[in-house]
């Protein structure tokens, strides 16, 4: 166990038992496995087991579980222990534990300062954070802490001094330091909570970047204070459409659904918001029992943006929710024909739930397997999902086993549900660095195929003579029910990093 390996686990959720599956093990009664793995270097098991012991009042045992992790000097382990100590009323011990890490700045300093402030040492927290105000994270923490310390004006002065300047960022990722727009936003937060709302609004109107993470601070402020007409006027000038979105949300919250619908219909003039605004409109209509209208709205958008998978996903889900799979399939077929009739898997698989709803799961699986990419590792989770939804998890496991390394989290989740905990743990603990062939036949030889499976597309066979290279997979997905999905472009990201092993001593493969 060392800090670098623990950090790799936490960052990539690979080569370990990830937190969602740790929770699953505990939920279905496998606490003894979590305890055992916690003592074998599985960080997420250790964190969950220590919390469980804490909840049972077994403080000494909880600290014993965390001790070897904290001993590595890894901040995340130290923070977890400090959080437990604080929850037990042992704040001074928590402060002493976190203190050495605070000197590194960033997240450890933010946590330490907030810890100090929670326990009556606000002035010290403000002093420490003020020295690091150029860090956006620390500046935001400083503004939060100043609220209850009577230090608003001190912090406001620090922020105001950073607003002038020649450089103005043109994106939220331009600088790692506190740029003028950050300072404006934080100063506006202080002015708003002081009741100086007009000053806050005036400040926010001077920003160069108006939205971060699809939220506009000025629009949110106007909505909070019920200044709907000002928000409506702002929405007219906001080309991003985020002010219009906040206006529609505010009107819906007030029960004015028709007003919210009108806002989204009018926001179609904002080029940058046209697609997202239409999707928001469809979602609003569906929430209020007008699913048929929502489907019609999305049909027009899908025709205008044929091939945008996220739009087609929304259309498909609406058709399913409305019990109209045949309409969804007919339209998807028409759109595919307009594109020339051939579809890559990232668009093709959208139709599978619709086929299952109309014709049954067997028809959907057969259709999936007929696709040229139906035997790939990134198709396997979609086929497995159909089978699980039909109450056939064993068959889903057989499909995923054909591509086990690429789909380890999904497969492990289903193995746990079937009671095959040892198999799941062994699969998850396999390190990411494995010999694979490039270009990509599936790693189907790692786990034997299930001959008894009634479904599953045949895996590709490794071609003789292809070079073997060592790669490390970092898999981060959004579509998997178990936390990781291997897809090409429909909701997951696969990052391949070539390790120092090259082709028989040659140069690394170009393009990786």
């Amino acid at each position: 166990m060392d800090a670098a390996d623990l950090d790799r686990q936490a960052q990539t959720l690979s080569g370990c038992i990830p937190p969602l599956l740790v929770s699953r093990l505990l939920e279905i009664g496998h606490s003894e496995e979590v305890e055992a793995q916690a003592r074998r270097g599985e960080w997420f098991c250790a964190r969950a087991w220590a919390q469980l012991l804490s909840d049972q009042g077994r403080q000494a045992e909880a600290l014993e579980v965390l001790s070897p992790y904290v001993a590595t000097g890894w901040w995340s382990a130290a923070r977890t222990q400090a959080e437990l100590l604080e929850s037990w009323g042992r704040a001074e011990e928590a402060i002493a534990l976190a203190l050495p890490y605070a000197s590194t700045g960033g997240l450890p300093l933010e946590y330490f300062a907030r810890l100090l402030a929670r326990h009556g040492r606000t002035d010290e927290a403000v002093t420490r954070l003020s020295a690091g105000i150029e860090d956006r994270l620390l500046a935001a923490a400083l503004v939060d802490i100043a609220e209850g310390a009577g230090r608003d004006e001190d912090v406001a002065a620090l922020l105001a001094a950073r607003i002038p300047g020649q450089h103005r960022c043109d994106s939220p990722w331009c600088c790692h330091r506190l740029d003028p727009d950050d300072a404006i936003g934080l100063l506006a937060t202080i002015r708003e909570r002081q009741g100086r709302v007009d000053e806050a609004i005036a400040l926010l109107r001077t920003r160069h970047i108006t939205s971060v993470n699809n939220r506009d601070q000025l629009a949110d402020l106007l909505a909070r204070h019920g200044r709907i007409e000002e928000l409506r006027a702002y929405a007219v000038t906001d080309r991003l459409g985020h002010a219009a979105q906040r206006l529609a949300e505010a009107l819906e919250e007030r029960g004015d659904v028709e007003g919210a619908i009108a806002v989204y219909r009018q926001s179609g003039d904002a080029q940058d918001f046209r697609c997202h605004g239409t999707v928001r409109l469809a979602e609003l209509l569906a929430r209020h029992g007008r699913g048929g209208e929502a489907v019609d709205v999305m049909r027009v958008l899908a025709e205008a943006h044929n091939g945008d998978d996220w739009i087609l996903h929304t259309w498909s889900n609406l058709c399913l929710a409305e019990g109209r799979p045949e309409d969804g399939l007919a339209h998807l077929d028409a759109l595919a024909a307009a594109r020339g009739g051939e579809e890559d898997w990232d668009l093709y698989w959208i139709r599978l739930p619709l086929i299952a709803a109309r014709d049954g799961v067997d028809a959907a699986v057969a259709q999936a397997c007929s696709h040229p990419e139906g035997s790939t590792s990134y198709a396997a989770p979609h086929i497995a999902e159909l089978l699980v939804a039909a109450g056939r998890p064993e068959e889903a496991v057989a499909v995923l086993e054909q591509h086990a390394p690429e789909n380890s989290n999904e497969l492990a989740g289903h193995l746990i549900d079937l009671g095959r905990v040892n198999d799941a743990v062994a699969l998850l603990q396999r390190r990411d660095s494995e010999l694979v062939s490039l270009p990509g036949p599936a790693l189907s030889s790692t786990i034997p195929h299930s001959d008894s499976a009634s479904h599953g597309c045949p895996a590709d066979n490794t071609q003789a003579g292809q070079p073997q290279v060592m790669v490390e997979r970092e898999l981060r997905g959004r579509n998997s029910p178990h936390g990781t999905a291997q897809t090409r472009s429909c909701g997951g990201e696969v990052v391949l990093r070539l390790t120092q092993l090259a082709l028989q001593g040659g140069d690394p493969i170009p393009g990786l």
Side-chain angles (χ1 to χ4, degrees):
M1 186 188 303
D2 61 64
D5 185 60
L6 291 170
D7 201 54
R8 183 197 63 81
Q9 284 187 36
Q11 293 295 326
T12 67
L13 302 183
S14 59
C16 66
I17 306 175
L20 285 178
L21 294 186
V22 173
S23 298
R24 181 79 60 78
L25 286 168
L26 290 173
E27 287 169 4
I28 61 178
H30 292 286
S31 57
E32 72 289 343
E33 185 67 30
V34 173
E35 178 184 9
Q37 295 301 328
R39 302 186 186 283
R40 295 173 187 163
E42 283 284 350
W43 164 243
F44 296 113
C45 288
R47 187 177 66 180
W49 186 242
Q51 184 62 58
L52 188 62
L53 292 171
S54 172
D55 294 343
Q56 296 172 353
R58 299 158 65 182
Q59 297 180 8
E61 293 173 72
L63 293 179
E64 180 187 357
V65 169
L66 294 175
S67 177
Y69 297 88
V70 176
T72 67
W74 187 44
W75 162 242
S76 294
R79 173 172 178 161
T80 298
Q81 181 165 312
E83 289 171 343
L84 288 181
L85 289 167
E86 184 187 13
S87 72
W88 301 334
R90 297 161 63 175
E92 289 306 316
E93 292 177 65
I95 290 170
L97 176 61
L99 175 59
Y101 297 90
S103 61
T104 64
L107 287 169
L109 177 53
E110 183 216 12
Y111 171 81
F112 183 66
R114 292 184 185 275
L115 177 62
L116 289 173
R118 286 195 296 271
H119 295 281
R121 295 167 63 174
T122 305
D123 286 339
E124 182 182 350
V126 169
T127 299
R128 287 178 177 272
L129 290 174
S130 296
I133 196 172
E134 292 297 339
D135 184 317
R136 295 173 178 175
L137 176 73
L138 301 182
L142 179 59
V143 169
D144 290 344
I145 288 171
E147 180 177 11
R151 300 286 299 273
D152 272 351
E153 286 304 323
D154 294 338
V155 175
L158 290 173
L159 293 169
R162 282 157 178 79
I163 291 175
Q166 297 300 315
H167 175 68
R168 299 300 293 247
C169 293
D170 58 5
S171 82
W173 304 275
C174 176
C175 295
H176 293 294
R177 65 181 181 83
L178 184 75
D179 67 63
D181 282 340
D182 293 325
I184 289 169
L186 291 171
L187 181 55
T189 297
I190 292 176
R191 295 304 181 221
E192 182 188 3
R193 74 183 180 214
Q194 290 177 323
R196 297 156 66 175
V197 176
D198 288 336
E199 289 182 51
I201 291 172
L203 277 166
L204 292 172
R205 292 193 187 280
T206 68
R207 297 167 301 164
H208 182 60
I209 300 170
T210 59
S211 292
V212 177
N213 295 329
N214 297 324
R215 301 303 299 186
D216 185 318
Q217 186 178 349
L218 175 56
D220 287 339
L221 184 153
L222 292 170
R224 273 196 301 274
H225 292 274
R227 298 169 77 152
I228 298 300
E229 292 310 311
E230 290 176 69
L231 178 54
R232 193 184 302 277
Y234 179 41
V236 172
T237 63
D238 175 29
R239 66 176 181 82
L240 297 177
H242 297 142
Q245 178 180 336
R246 188 65 189 94
L247 173 60
E249 292 169 353
L251 292 172
E252 185 184 8
E253 290 162 6
R254 292 167 168 234
D256 186 2
V257 175
E258 291 301 324
I261 291 172
V263 169
Y264 281 129
R265 292 195 188 280
Q266 293 162 5
S267 70
D269 295 334
Q271 181 64 39
D272 292 346
F273 190 61
R274 188 169 299 163
C275 289
H276 290 277
T278 303
V279 171
R280 298 286 180 271
L281 171 59
E283 293 171 343
L284 172 63
L285 290 166
R287 278 198 300 275
H288 292 276
R290 297 163 65 172
E293 293 177 64
V295 168
D296 292 338
V297 165
M298 284 304 303
R299 178 188 291 111
V300 174
L301 183 64
E303 289 172 349
H305 296 271
N306 190 354
D308 285 1
D309 59 349
W310 71 279
I311 292 175
L312 295 180
H313 273 293
T314 305
W315 154 258
S316 172
N317 290 336
L318 279 172
C319 288
L320 279 175
E322 288 299 303
R324 297 167 56 181
E326 62 286 342
D327 291 348
L329 284 169
H331 200 60
L332 288 175
D333 288 341
L335 293 175
R339 291 192 301 269
E342 294 186 5
E343 286 186 307
D344 290 337
W345 183 261
D346 54 358
L347 292 178
Y348 185 82
W349 79 271
I350 298 171
R351 71 187 59 244
L352 297 180
L354 295 168
I355 296 172
R358 187 188 66 180
D359 303 325
V361 170
D362 289 333
V365 171
Q367 194 80 7
C369 290
S370 70
H371 190 274
E373 296 170 80
S375 63
T376 60
S377 61
Y378 47 82
H382 301 132
I383 297 171
E385 187 175 352
L386 294 171
L387 293 165
V388 169
R392 293 150 67 173
E394 295 88 353
E395 295 173 58
V397 165
V399 170
L400 292 169
E401 280 181 331
Q402 298 179 43
H403 308 279
E406 297 93 336
N407 297 298
S408 58
N409 279 23
E410 292 94 335
L411 175 55
H414 296 311
L415 289 172
I416 289 171
D417 290 341
L418 291 172
R420 295 171 56 185
V421 173
N422 291 337
D423 291 342
V425 169
L427 175 66
L428 290 167
Q429 290 178 335
R430 184 180 298 127
R431 293 299 296 266
D432 299 331
S433 297
E434 302 180 29
L435 286 174
V436 300
S437 297
L438 296 178
L443 299 180
S444 55
S445 60
T446 306
I447 291 182
H449 299 180
S450 173
D451 294 331
S452 61
S454 62
H455 287 298
C457 307
D460 296 332
N461 294 319
T462 302
Q463 299 176 20
Q466 289 184 337
Q468 299 289 306
V469 298
M470 191 78 74
V471 300
E472 178 183 2
R473 277 186 172 81
E474 292 181 5
L475 301 158
R476 302 181 181 89
R478 296 191 298 273
N479 285 342
S480 166
H482 304 304
T484 304
Q486 285 72 42
T487 63
R488 296 184 314 151
S489 60
C490 45
E493 174 185 1
V494 180
V495 181
L496 295 180
R497 287 208 311 250
L498 191 65
T499 65
Q500 294 181 345
L501 181 67
L503 293 174
Q504 298 181 352
D507 294 330
I509 297 177
L512 286 182

